[in-house]
Amino acid sequence: MQFVLEVCVDSLASARAAVAGGADRLELCSALSVGGLTPYAALLAQIRAESDIPVRCLMRPRPGDFLYTPEEIDLMCAQIPVLRRAGADGFVVGALTADGRLDTDATHRLMEAAGPDAGITLHRAIDVSRDPLETYRTAAALGMDTVLTSGAAASCRDGRTVLASLLADRDRLGGP
């Protein structure tokens, strides 16, 4: 099993600190105080000018829930190529339906916009989905290679049981 130390950053200074601290990959976002939003391409370009560490950009147009309108999905799909040109290696995405399932149509569109060679992480939308295990399996079936979760709890310590079931499923069936 390979572990990747991915550090969430929202500035050039925090990216520098993460790289100096041994990060394997960065998750770049803005507005961490509201859970993170899509970052600026210019910030990504600044980071790229100093480091070739892999960077995945969070795609989240606003704070709050993960029920995105068609216009918000269009916006994220338009932002992805801009971030790719600025140096993004992958994206952190997740959209839910009103009944709490992974929105496969929206997720597929985001993955298509990213292109076949981009790494794709399912973000913490899994933690508020109706069934994290079902959401995990759907994400794996879509081809996502990483999942960011605290086990549907406020902390990973509190989510140990769910995390254990996700890991067991991954080991049994394969997946991110």
Side-chain angles (χ1 to χ4, degrees):
M1 177 184 310
Q2 178 187 3
F3 288 94
V4 174
L5 177 58
E6 181 173 296
V7 178
C8 189
V9 299
D10 66 351
S11 68
L12 181 58
S14 62
R16 286 176 176 156
V19 170
D24 298 309
R25 182 167 66 207
L26 303 178
E27 178 187 328
L28 182 61
C29 60
S30 65
L32 281 173
S33 62
V34 296
L37 301 176
T38 301
Y40 299 104
L43 174 58
L44 176 57
Q46 284 182 319
I47 293 167
R48 279 282 169 242
E50 294 191 14
S51 175
D52 62 355
I53 189 170
V55 178
R56 292 194 179 183
C57 292
L58 177 65
M59 299 310 299
R60 190 168 178 227
R62 58 163 172 77
D65 63 35
F66 301 103
L67 306 174
Y68 298 119
T69 66
E71 295 80 14
E72 288 171 326
I73 298 298
D74 290 345
L75 173 63
M76 289 186 281
C77 287
Q79 290 172 311
I80 286 172
V82 173
L83 290 164
R84 281 298 298 233
R85 287 189 297 274
D89 299 293
F91 297 91
V92 182
V93 303
L96 299 176
T97 61
D99 68 350
R101 295 176 194 267
L102 189 63
D103 186 335
T104 56
D105 291 337
T107 303
H108 181 73
R109 284 192 58 212
L110 294 166
M111 292 176 72
E112 259 188 359
D117 61 331
I120 303 290
T121 300
L122 174 62
H123 67 52
R124 295 203 48 192
I126 188 174
D127 292 330
V128 295
S129 68
R130 70 183 248 163
D131 182 343
L133 188 56
E134 174 188 299
T135 302
Y136 172 81
R137 288 176 178 160
T138 303
L142 287 172
M144 294 181 159
D145 64 7
T146 307
V147 175
L148 174 61
T149 179
S150 62
S155 73
C156 59
R157 182 169 296 196
D158 294 339
R160 286 188 307 259
T161 302
V162 171
L163 289 169
S165 69
L166 294 173
L167 289 170
D169 202 61
R170 180 203 63 197
D171 292 343
R172 187 170 56 79
L173 301 173

